[in-house]
Amino acid sequence: MVGQRTIKKSILRNSLITFFVPLFVFIFFSIKFISGIYVDEVTSKNQIITMNLSERFGLLNEEPENLTDYIEKKYLEKQGVSGDVSFGLNKLVSAYSYILNIEIINSSGDVVSSAINNADIGINRSGEDFFLNLSNVREGIYWSTPYVSTATGSLIYSMARKTNSKYYILIYISLKSLSESAKTYAGQFGNDIHVEILDQSGRYISHEDINKVNTRMIDGNVALYREMVDKKTPYVRVKIEDEFYIANASKMPTSNWYVVVYQPTQSVFGYMNLFMTIFAFVLFATIIITLLFSLRFSGKINDFFLRMNQSMDRAVKNDFNSEHVDFRYRELNELFERFQNLMVEIKQRDKRLYQAAYYDALSGLGNRLLMHESIDKLIARNAEEEIALVLINVDRFKVINDIYGHDIGDKLIRHIAHELKTMVQANDCLAFHLSGDEFAIVVPAPDKRTYIQNMLAPINKLMTEGLFIGDRFLRVQVTIGISYYPRQASDGKTLYQYADIALIEGKDRNKGNINIYDFDMRIKIESLSKMDLFLRESLKNNRFELYFQPQINVSDGSIYGFEALIRLRNYNGDFIPPLEFITVAESTGFIVELGDWIINQAIWMHKQLNQEYHQKFRISINISTIQMQSAEFPDRFFGILENYHANISLIELEITESVFINEYSTAPINIDILSKAGTCFSLDDFGTGYSSLSYLATLPFKVLKIDRMFIADMENSVTKIRMLESIIDMGHRLKLTIIVEGVETQEQFVICKQFGVDIIQGYYYSKPLNTELLRHFIEERLA
Amino acid sequence: MRNKSKILFGVMLLLVVLVVVVFVFIWYHRKPILIGYSSNLTGTSSEIAVEGMYGAMMAVQEVNKSGGIKGREIKLIIKDDGNTEKTALEADKELVSQGVKAIIGHSISGVFGLSFSYINSIGMVMVSPSISSSDFAHQNDYFYTMVPISEYQSERISQALTDYHYKKTGYLYQKENERYSKGFVEDTAKYLKKQNLNPTFMEYYSQKDEDSFQKAANLIVNSEIDSLVISGPAYDVARFAQILYSKHIKLPIFTSTWSMSTELLSIAGPAAEGIFTINSYDSASDTSDYKEFYRKYKELYNEEPTFSSVYSYEGCMLLLKALKESAGFDGVDIKAAIESNSSFVGLQGDVSLDENGDAHRNMYLFEVVNGEFERVD
């Protein structure tokens, strides 16, 4: 995030750059161009001044030269040096204000004539520079550097000429008058133009500050001037007393002095002020205008993003309400509109997601998740307030689905849901659809136990009286489990767990009624859970064993077949009564898995024995009501047969009457499928329960197994004997094979044989045997 | 966002202030270091001062070329001392007010009285290339001179007079620089007195009084002396020599260091022949440093250096070195730094300053022979 830019600033900056940079470049080059013109003009002007000065002072220096010609011609060539010469020289000095003295010096260096000071006559000048410089030439001119006059104490310079007549004419010239002359001349050009004259070494010959001249100061820029003259450059920039100047220099031909004209850079560029002001104004105005436009533009863009941000913030807070906007730019309006549409889409999608997450699509009621959240919210709102959770399970809903199809099942669920909705609206409760056949009602503050019962009464009534679903009239039973917070459960999760325990217990023991959770239920459920776990572990660890009880043909005492019986030992090695663990397995649904295992083991062993002893023993296998009511059972059974290539005609499936108790049981359908495939069914435990004869008439049973209850103590009960005789007779009339279980004594055997029982099963012949003992038994019988 | 902007603005403001402070700091420390040069740059005795100025300018130019002092440029502020004590004092005060750290100057003792007191009172270091009056010697103060004090010059001249067995010696001294010139002749006479050689005359002359000049000239001509001691500038000595020359009088003239310049040779011309002078400076020195100095000086100023140029250059170099080594730029630090460099190698050989800041150099006797100063010993 660091270093990210804002659109507003970017627009401002880019606008400024877009306008400012080209303008700045234009102005920069314009100023450079114009200043170049100005500098050229100033330089040209100053060059002219310099040249004029150079010429003017050159002429000024020419005068003494001309004077020496005159002196030579007038005094030295014609009459020689005499007293008149001094007089004449004096007159000349008087005529030229800048000439201080004129001396005539002979070839030995002695002063022979002086215009001003006769006392100097006789003074020898042969040691002085002019003499030393000119002594070796026939004639010539020498210009001295400035020096202090001993007579006046002021600065002077001198010009000496060696004449044809061997005399030296020495003219002393006032530097002050030369300097002032230069200053006066420069003054014509205004205060910005400065003029100075320097000797070859840079000493000031003339300067507006006479002190510089008097103190024989050196101009520190002389090297630059020298270079400028030598290289003929138009001008040079110099620094004088911390200020910058543009200077032009030229060399005086006679004396080799430099005439320098210089002007402050500021004054040169002073002409540029107007242009600079105009440019600065244009630049400033451009910046301001650009800024204003950019601010306006960026403000609109910024406003758009502000509105977008606000809209997004509202969306984050689940406020998806659209608003009307009218931005200046069509694209922004479109973008905002699309954004709003997107928000609506998101809103609808969120609603759908919420609906999917919290509501059941079929019933329209809240689902399990919503129920838990609702309970948690109620608890959070007031932890002291009592809550009742009512779980309603539609009994045998799966069967209804299987028989009438899912469409009817769905309609039933929607109908129940509608009824629950109506009910909870009237009672200020919350209804939920937890799974296919399970509903829940959360009842806040149920002040009385009867309140819930009263509330549920219409449901119960509806169920028991029956209802039309489409053109089908259904009588549906519901089992209800209830638990209470905080009286029983300390939180929502436990509340549900307890209500579920009550429901499970109710489905087990008290179907179709209201079951309120209590501690015993919990213990029982826990025990059931333990047993279920034990059973599942036992199957996994091969702890189950299959025993076989022989069935003997009464007529010839041969082996008819065997009944496969499941056995399980506890950790102490003792057998657990089959009824005990089969009941648990049926209640938990484990029986389906266990049943498959039994069928597998029994068929495998049956095939082994028949192959081993070359017999056609039959094998009878007990099938649980739960198994038989499963629509998938036939397929699973056929799959096992196919695995072992078993002979289906030798297999008997034993079922009890309870398979048919349920009105909507799929068992008859399964029996029909299986029997058509050749499976033999035997009706087990006949004589207990309802002993409905209609089953025998309508279903394809081949074997009737008379329960041991008729056999036990039969010898002492005439009724039992008569009943047995009647059942056997009826069975035979129905062409059923009659098997009697529990035959233990000789008397019982004799009676059974007398009544024409086909097959005897019981301790009289053998108890259930494991495979090893079974083999012994078979071998003994076959021997 | 508003807080963020405020923080950003604050940081930027702080940065600007920081930049300004740093800029000012750098600018302040980049300001040139000012050194004063105060001397009698105008008037008839100004040659020695101008030559000294050129020497000092050359030294400053060289140091600046090599990077200045502690990265700062050296700027020489030049003042004409007006050739009087009062104007010299004013010139010094003006330099101090301009912020100079030290002063090179003055050239002649005659104008130095008031300035001497002033610079010592404010602790301003001053290095003179040519003042040699004993009045300013033998004191541990802020004044340093690069030329041996006049007592040593007098002693050496009196020795020469004795060696040449001159018995009747006349003495002339310039009125304008009486503090030095009179002291010089008196000291010389004092040494000779010890040998019972009393001065034939001892007179002053003034450049401002032509009559006094003529009177002195007449005195020389008429007093039958066998030797003449003049304590004056080159022009004065040359003028007296020219007078004697014009009158065909051959008289050995002994002069002080003050007059030893090329000006003496050029103005006096043949009249300079036989003039003796005393100096620690040797224009014919063949040390490599001096030769290099000579070449540069000639190139820059188109004239030959003099003792004043050389001593001013050396004095300025010593001062700049002291500035470089001083902890601060105040007088006490500069003085301490000078004293820690009291012995150094000058352009023509070893130079030492004693605890009072008075220079000690080898003194030589020169005689003008064929228009050149020629060492006699």
Side-chain angles (χ1 to χ4, degrees), chain B residues 18 24 74 117 138 166 174 191 228 307 314 338 364:
Chain B
L18 206 67
V24 168
I74 307 299
S117 305
H138 310 301
Y166 294 117
Q174 195 207 45
Y191 288 117
L228 176 64
F307 84 94
E314 288 178 343
I338 286 178
Y364 308 107

Short mmCIF file of all heavy atoms in Angstrom, two decimals, chain B residues 18 24 74 117 138 166 174 191 228 307 314 338 364:
data_model
loop_
_atom_site.label_atom_id
_atom_site.label_comp_id
_atom_site.label_asym_id
_atom_site.label_seq_id
_atom_site.Cartn_x
_atom_site.Cartn_y
_atom_site.Cartn_z
N LEU B 18 15.17 21.69 7.50
CA LEU B 18 16.47 21.01 7.62
C LEU B 18 17.39 21.38 6.48
O LEU B 18 18.57 21.69 6.69
CB LEU B 18 16.23 19.50 7.64
CG LEU B 18 17.28 18.66 8.34
CD1 LEU B 18 17.26 18.95 9.82
CD2 LEU B 18 17.01 17.19 8.11
N VAL B 24 22.27 26.96 5.08
CA VAL B 24 22.83 28.13 5.76
C VAL B 24 24.16 27.76 6.42
O VAL B 24 25.14 28.51 6.34
CB VAL B 24 21.83 28.68 6.82
CG1 VAL B 24 22.50 29.69 7.74
CG2 VAL B 24 20.65 29.32 6.12
N ILE B 74 40.22 32.01 0.55
CA ILE B 74 40.85 33.13 1.29
C ILE B 74 40.66 34.38 0.45
O ILE B 74 40.88 34.37 -0.76
CB ILE B 74 42.37 32.89 1.48
CG1 ILE B 74 42.62 31.52 2.12
CG2 ILE B 74 42.98 34.01 2.31
CD1 ILE B 74 42.01 31.35 3.48
N SER B 117 49.24 49.43 19.09
CA SER B 117 48.46 49.36 20.35
C SER B 117 47.09 48.73 20.10
O SER B 117 46.60 47.92 20.89
CB SER B 117 48.26 50.76 20.93
OG SER B 117 49.50 51.38 21.08
N HIS B 138 60.92 42.92 20.88
CA HIS B 138 61.17 42.47 22.26
C HIS B 138 59.90 42.39 23.10
O HIS B 138 59.94 42.54 24.31
CB HIS B 138 62.19 43.41 22.95
CG HIS B 138 63.42 43.64 22.13
ND1 HIS B 138 64.25 42.61 21.72
CD2 HIS B 138 63.95 44.79 21.63
CE1 HIS B 138 65.24 43.11 20.99
NE2 HIS B 138 65.08 44.44 20.91
N TYR B 166 86.21 53.89 8.08
CA TYR B 166 85.70 55.25 7.91
C TYR B 166 85.62 55.92 9.27
O TYR B 166 85.15 55.33 10.24
CB TYR B 166 84.33 55.24 7.23
CG TYR B 166 84.40 54.73 5.79
CD1 TYR B 166 83.74 53.58 5.40
CD2 TYR B 166 85.14 55.45 4.84
CE1 TYR B 166 83.80 53.11 4.10
CE2 TYR B 166 85.21 54.96 3.54
CZ TYR B 166 84.54 53.80 3.16
OH TYR B 166 84.63 53.35 1.88
N GLN B 174 65.02 59.89 7.26
CA GLN B 174 63.78 60.49 6.74
C GLN B 174 62.85 60.84 7.88
O GLN B 174 62.56 60.00 8.75
CB GLN B 174 63.08 59.49 5.80
CG GLN B 174 62.01 60.15 4.95
CD GLN B 174 60.91 59.16 4.54
OE1 GLN B 174 60.43 58.38 5.35
NE2 GLN B 174 60.55 59.21 3.27
N TYR B 191 76.88 52.28 18.05
CA TYR B 191 77.92 51.24 18.00
C TYR B 191 79.31 51.85 17.70
O TYR B 191 80.31 51.41 18.24
CB TYR B 191 77.57 50.19 16.92
CG TYR B 191 76.41 49.30 17.33
CD1 TYR B 191 75.23 49.29 16.62
CD2 TYR B 191 76.54 48.47 18.45
CE1 TYR B 191 74.18 48.48 17.01
CE2 TYR B 191 75.49 47.66 18.83
CZ TYR B 191 74.31 47.66 18.12
OH TYR B 191 73.27 46.87 18.52
N LEU B 228 78.69 58.11 4.30
CA LEU B 228 77.36 58.64 4.58
C LEU B 228 76.39 57.49 4.87
O LEU B 228 76.36 56.50 4.15
CB LEU B 228 76.85 59.43 3.37
CG LEU B 228 75.43 59.99 3.42
CD1 LEU B 228 75.27 61.04 4.52
CD2 LEU B 228 75.05 60.59 2.06
N PHE B 307 62.65 42.56 -1.57
CA PHE B 307 62.57 41.91 -0.26
C PHE B 307 61.17 42.02 0.33
O PHE B 307 60.68 41.12 1.01
CB PHE B 307 63.62 42.51 0.71
CG PHE B 307 63.17 43.76 1.40
CD1 PHE B 307 62.59 43.70 2.67
CD2 PHE B 307 63.31 45.01 0.81
CE1 PHE B 307 62.16 44.84 3.32
CE2 PHE B 307 62.88 46.16 1.46
CZ PHE B 307 62.30 46.08 2.71
N GLU B 314 56.18 35.36 2.32
CA GLU B 314 56.50 34.42 3.40
C GLU B 314 55.60 34.64 4.62
O GLU B 314 55.09 33.69 5.23
CB GLU B 314 57.97 34.55 3.81
CG GLU B 314 58.93 33.99 2.78
CD GLU B 314 60.39 34.17 3.19
OE1 GLU B 314 60.67 35.00 4.09
OE2 GLU B 314 61.25 33.51 2.60
N ILE B 338 51.03 30.22 15.00
CA ILE B 338 52.25 30.85 14.43
C ILE B 338 53.46 30.44 15.26
O ILE B 338 54.52 30.09 14.73
CB ILE B 338 52.11 32.40 14.41
CG1 ILE B 338 51.13 32.81 13.29
CG2 ILE B 338 53.47 33.07 14.20
CD1 ILE B 338 50.88 34.30 13.21
N TYR B 364 73.19 40.20 5.28
CA TYR B 364 74.32 40.31 4.35
C TYR B 364 74.56 41.78 4.00
O TYR B 364 73.61 42.56 3.95
CB TYR B 364 74.04 39.53 3.06
CG TYR B 364 73.63 38.09 3.30
CD1 TYR B 364 72.30 37.69 3.11
CD2 TYR B 364 74.56 37.14 3.73
CE1 TYR B 364 71.91 36.39 3.32
CE2 TYR B 364 74.16 35.83 3.94
CZ TYR B 364 72.84 35.45 3.74
OH TYR B 364 72.45 34.17 3.96
#
